[in-house]
Amino acid sequence: SEARIDGRDTRIDVTIAQPASVAIYNEQEEPMDVTLPAGGFHLDALAIDGRLTVPPGLPEVKTTDNEQRATGAVGGGGPTVTLRSSRGNITIRGKG
């Protein structure tokens, strides 16, 4: 089902079991680690003043000024997985 996670000064480590509309937001310097689901979804990830790391096979990271972003359909598309971090790193792990 749908989920929204908001963190502040919190380490976030999430495994998404199946494609669903998921939004994860985090502020400050704590890292966010996300394992993506198998199956189709749309990735929308943005790290502001932080680093975004994605495994091969996912949309490439594009850097502009102080932002790193990866967006696009994965496995044919589907629900959107939104990841946002302000001043923290996002590490995306391969599909679960």
Side-chain angles (χ1 to χ4, degrees):
S1 67
E2 292 185 22
R4 179 180 167 116
I5 299 169
D6 289 297
R8 188 167 294 172
D9 288 327
T10 304
R11 178 179 177 82
I12 296 176
D13 191 346
V14 173
T15 298
I16 303 171
Q18 62 186 25
S21 294
V22 176
I24 304 172
Y25 298 87
N26 202 17
E27 293 185 20
Q28 301 304 327
E29 297 179 6
E30 292 296 324
M32 179 190 308
D33 297 306
V34 179
T35 301
L36 295 173
F41 58 92
H42 182 85
L43 177 65
D44 182 7
L46 173 64
I48 301 170
D49 291 325
R51 183 179 172 132
L52 174 59
T53 305
V54 301
L58 293 181
E60 73 175 91
V61 175
K62 297 181 181 174
T63 302
T64 58
D65 297 323
N66 64 333
E67 296 181 352
Q68 292 194 331
R69 178 183 293 266
T71 61
V74 177
T80 299
V81 175
T82 303
L83 308 174
R84 297 285 185 272
S85 179
S86 178
R87 296 182 299 278
N89 296 333
I90 300 173
T91 300
I92 298 174
R93 296 185 293 257
K95 297 188 267 183

